[in-house]
Every structure is written in structure tokens, then in C-alpha cells.
Amino acid sequence: MNNFSKAMNKKRIISGSLFICILLATLLVLCMQPAGAKDYIPLPYEYTENYYNTYGEPALYSSVVGDTELSRGETAQINIVLANRGIFKGVKADKDVGSSEVLHQLSLTELEYETKRTTAQGVKTTLISNTEFIEVDPATSSQTLEEVVPGQLPDPLTFTLTVSNNAPAGTYMLELPVEYEYQSDVRMTTDEVAQLGLSTDHANYYKNANTTMQIPVIVEPEARFEVSEVSGDLEVGQSNVINVTYTNIGELPAKDAVARVIVMKPLSSENTVKSLGTLQPGESRTISFEIGSSDSAVEKIYGLDSEIRYIDDDEETAFSENMKVDINVRMPDRQFNITAIALAGLVIMGLVLIIKNIRKNGSNNKIKNNEEDKYD
């Protein structure tokens, strides 16, 4: 054997030894995985045999359990169930087993493994809202499932939603991206792998997949109200008429509506409930309240709580959210007191007359004394 042949043999031995080390490390990782774990480091095809090619994959769909009609300002949970309608579409032989009972049994075992290719594994979901009017609680926005098997319904995925008070009525479509993987191929290991003392008899190969589903959420139409205008001032220690305008900014009419203000000291009112009648969407109505102010009131804007009771579209009694009625209370204008001015004038005139009399009497006495001194 020449030097060239020796060098080539040495190279083959080193390469073979290195490959065997890599193979052993790979198989060791596989054997350390728990039963049913995915083969993230699959065996090279050279150490496997494929008896069948199969067809089919998972097909995931979503459905919402319960009511998705929510009210403005409501925080609620929705339950989403993922269903797998994946179908095992067919099988095609890839290798002839001949009359060998061993190979025939291996092929049947591989076929049994292959039937799991329609199972979605490692399912990850995230519910996303693309509108500012519906918020998904970050603590519940991501949910996972170990697997979704065709024909079996897993536990519902529960998400928490909050609807804005300003959300317009209508249907909002939330997005549910779903990521998963499925078994795309199974190959049986050869005797060469079995001789290494490893118990695995097959290798699994996986593909990643994803899909995005639409989840509808409905914000119910309803009557909604706002205080659109307040007119009339109030002076400390006085009473006055305050005009309050209510507007139905909702989508449905409010029948037999009654407005109420809650008046607390230092303000007062004998009649705090007034009828509005029926308010159609966009319609406004002004009512008047007689409000009084005590002498202990200070000059500022007082915010009175107000609400409306009405009959809704389902002929049930409903209540609006709390609204503020701002009332400006000011100190009375300073006015001159005519009576006091008149009295002050009389007093001043009296003092002037008294002073004049005193001066006059003093002058007379002086003249009289001078005359008496003349005759003496």
C-alpha cells in the first residue's frame, strides 16, 4: 500500500469517526427528550428508511363561545375555541417491502405514526385589536395550547376585553394570528442506529405553519346623553333659574326620559326631577331647575351630578351615565343704599347747622360784649 492510499484510508477513518460522533450526539439528544417530544434535531436521511409518503395537514378554525355583544365601558371575557378540521388525505407507498414480515411490520408502524400529521402542535395565539375603541388585556392577549387534534375540542382560550365609553356602535373585527407546527414526515430508523443501543425507532420531521383568524365583537347601539349647555348664574344668598340642555348622542331613541340633578349644600332645590319626554337620536331638550344658594356659599363653579332614566329599545328601564351640570356661583354686585345715604346726608346737614349756630352765637356774644365795654 503506497503512502497515498494510507493517507486516504486515514482520512476516511477520521471522517467516519467524526460523523459517528455527531450521530451519537444527535441520538443522545433525541433519547433525552420525553416521550412524545418533537425531534428538533432530526436524524439524517441516511440513517432512516421511508416506506410511505402521506398527505394532509391541520386546518384550524375558530369559534366564539357565548355572546360577543358588548356595551360601551364594559370589561368582559370572551372564550374562543379552536377546532381542527384537518383531513388525512391519502398515502402512497415509497418502498417495496416484498415478502419480509419485518419490513412489513415496520411499514405498518410508520403508517401509524404518519396518521398524526394532521395534529397541530405547539399552538400559539395572540388576540390583536386594531382599533382604539377596544383594548385587549395584555395579561390575557397571548394564549397557548399543547396540541389541537382533529375531531377534539380543546379548552377555550379566554381573553379579556374593555370597550371604550366613546366607541361607536357597530361590529369590530379583532385579529387572531395562530402559529403552530405539524408533523410533515416520519421515517423509520435503520438497524445501524439500533445497534448503537438507542431506543428510538423513528424520526419525526416538522413544518411550521400559521394562519390569521377574524374574531367579531359587536358594540351594541343605545341611547346616550350629554349635557350640551347650561345657562344662568347664581348669586350667593339668592336663587335663580338654571337652564340645562340634554342631547341624545346615541343611536337609539330614549322614551319617557326623566332628568334628575342631585343638589347638595350650600345649594338647594325643591324640584330636582324634570320630564324630557322622548328624545330621538341627535335631539336636544332644555329644562329649567330653580336652584338656591345659601349665604355660606363661596364664589366658584359647583358641579352637580345629573342622570337620565328612560325606557330603552327593549322596553326596559335604563339609566344614563353620570353627567355634570356646572353652575357658576358668584358674589352679588355691590349697590349703594339710598336710605343710608339719605340718613348720612341728614346727619351731615344737622352737624353743619349746629356748627353754624355755634359760630353765630359766638359772634353775637362778642358784639354784645364790645357794646357793653363801650358804655362803661
Side-chain angles (χ1 to χ4, degrees):
M1 182 179 296
N2 55 32
N3 292 333
F4 178 77
S5 299
K6 290 181 180 179
M8 290 299 295
N9 288 335
K10 184 176 181 181
K11 187 176 181 180
R12 290 192 188 97
I13 293 172
I14 293 174
S15 300
S17 300
L18 185 60
F19 183 78
I20 291 174
C21 290
I22 295 173
L23 178 60
L24 288 173
T26 300
L27 294 175
L28 182 60
V29 171
L30 292 176
C31 292
M32 291 176 64
Q33 296 182 25
K38 300 179 183 63
D39 301 339
Y40 289 105
I41 309 178
L43 283 171
Y45 276 6
E46 291 81 2
Y47 290 86
T48 62
E49 293 286 354
N50 190 50
Y51 296 97
Y52 290 104
N53 292 321
T54 54
Y55 306 93
E57 60 187 58
L60 297 185
Y61 295 84
S62 64
S63 60
V64 181
V65 179
D67 191 5
T68 59
E69 292 189 3
L70 306 179
S71 301
R72 297 176 178 91
E74 181 181 2
T75 296
Q77 292 182 334
I78 63 170
N79 297 312
I80 300 175
V81 175
L82 294 183
N84 188 348
R85 301 176 189 172
I87 299 174
F88 189 82
K89 296 180 178 180
V91 58
K92 182 179 180 181
D94 187 56
K95 181 178 180 181
D96 185 10
V97 298
S99 60
S100 173
E101 289 294 333
V102 174
L103 295 182
H104 180 65
Q105 186 59 47
L106 285 175
S107 67
L108 293 179
T109 303
E110 178 188 327
L111 188 58
E112 182 179 352
Y113 291 140
E114 291 274 13
T115 58
K116 298 180 181 180
R117 66 175 296 124
T118 55
T119 297
Q121 301 186 19
V123 181
K124 300 177 182 178
T125 66
T126 303
L127 188 62
I128 299 175
S129 172
N130 293 317
T131 173
E132 61 180 328
F133 299 116
I134 298 180
E135 178 184 356
V136 182
D137 186 352
T140 65
S141 61
S142 296
Q143 304 277 338
T144 61
L145 292 170
E146 183 176 348
E147 63 179 14
V148 181
V149 181
Q152 299 180 14
L153 293 180
D155 293 333
L157 304 172
T158 302
F159 301 90
T160 302
L161 306 181
T162 299
V163 181
S164 169
N165 289 321
N166 301 319
T171 301
Y172 296 82
M173 302 303 294
L174 307 186
E175 292 185 352
L176 185 70
V178 180
E179 297 179 357
Y180 60 95
E181 57 185 12
Y182 68 96
Q183 177 182 281
S184 62
D185 192 17
V186 175
R187 299 175 70 95
M188 304 303 292
T189 57
T190 63
D191 293 338
E192 189 172 2
V193 172
Q195 289 173 4
L196 296 175
L198 302 177
S199 59
T200 181
D201 65 344
H202 69 285
N204 300 83
Y205 302 85
Y206 292 88
K207 282 187 178 180
N208 294 322
N210 62 78
T211 183
T212 299
M213 306 172 188
Q214 302 293 320
I215 306 298
V217 174
I218 301 171
V219 177
E220 299 173 334
E222 61 184 355
R224 300 170 61 210
F225 305 92
E226 69 173 8
V227 174
S228 52
E229 185 179 1
V230 179
S231 62
D233 290 340
L234 191 60
E235 295 183 352
V236 173
Q238 304 294 323
S239 63
N240 195 14
V241 174
I242 304 298
N243 299 311
V244 183
T245 301
Y246 295 92
T247 302
N248 181 359
I249 60 173
E251 301 82 16
L252 296 178
K255 305 174 187 176
D256 300 330
V258 176
R260 180 174 75 107
V261 293
I262 300 174
V263 182
M264 301 179 68
K265 292 182 178 181
L267 305 183
S268 61
S269 178
E270 293 184 357
N271 188 359
T272 59
V273 178
K274 294 293 181 71
S275 174
L276 288 169
T278 296
L279 281 178
Q280 298 294 333
E283 186 177 4
S284 299
R285 192 154 297 146
T286 301
I287 55 177
S288 301
F289 296 96
E290 182 80 19
I291 306 293
S293 169
S294 69
D295 294 332
S296 63
V298 296
E299 189 175 42
K300 70 171 188 177
I301 295 178
Y302 288 83
L304 305 185
D305 291 328
S306 177
E307 67 177 4
I308 294 177
R309 185 188 72 235
Y310 63 99
I311 304 300
D312 63 17
D313 206 44
D314 296 325
E315 299 299 325
E316 296 182 356
T317 301
F319 293 87
S320 71
E321 295 181 355
N322 183 62
M323 297 169 284
K324 288 293 182 182
V325 176
D326 293 330
I327 298 179
N328 183 31
V329 177
R330 56 183 176 82
M331 298 299 294
D333 296 334
R334 298 184 180 275
Q335 298 179 352
F336 293 106
N337 192 315
I338 297 177
T339 303
I341 292 174
L343 290 175
L346 292 174
V347 170
I348 292 172
M349 290 177 62
L351 290 174
V352 171
L353 291 174
I354 292 172
I355 292 173
K356 285 183 177 181
N357 287 332
I358 292 174
R359 288 179 177 177
K360 184 177 181 181
N361 290 334
S363 298
N364 292 335
N365 290 333
K366 185 176 181 180
I367 294 172
K368 184 178 180 181
N369 291 333
N370 290 335
E371 288 178 352
E372 288 177 350
D373 291 340
K374 181 178 180 182
Y375 287 107
D376 291 340

